[in-house]
Amino acid sequence: NNALIEVFANNQDQALRISKSGAEGEFYIKTALPNGEFLIKTEAEGLEFDPISIRLTGRMVPLIKIIAN
């Protein structure tokens, strides 16, 4: 919980959306993103996460599980 989740457009350095996880580790991106390729980066103290690539196509995004290494 309290992980920082950042969503980046591919090959961009500035996050388009930023969220923090809740008590159960859940997070939401409330403002829609355009279709395309994105990278989700997660940071939490004492944990390491691999970035996750997603492709948005105008459909609802299924549940994404982000698990520390």
Side-chain angles (χ1 to χ4, degrees):
N1 58 1
N2 289 326
L4 179 68
I5 294 93
E6 299 175 295
V7 180
F8 296 84
N10 271 353
N11 302 316
Q12 297 295 316
D13 293 333
Q14 187 170 343
L16 297 174
R17 304 287 187 277
I18 299 173
S19 183
K20 277 209 163 215
S21 65
E24 299 297 319
E26 77 285 352
F27 71 95
Y28 302 94
I29 303 297
K30 296 179 182 179
T31 307
L33 289 161
N35 292 341
E37 301 279 335
F38 297 90
L39 192 64
I40 299 173
K41 294 182 181 180
T42 306
E43 296 178 18
E45 187 174 334
L47 299 172
E48 289 189 28
F49 299 86
D50 291 330
I52 297 174
S53 294
I54 62 169
R55 176 187 294 247
L56 301 181
T57 62
R59 296 178 181 250
M60 187 75 149
V61 176
L63 179 68
I64 297 171
K65 283 192 174 189
I66 302 174
I67 301 172
N69 296 333

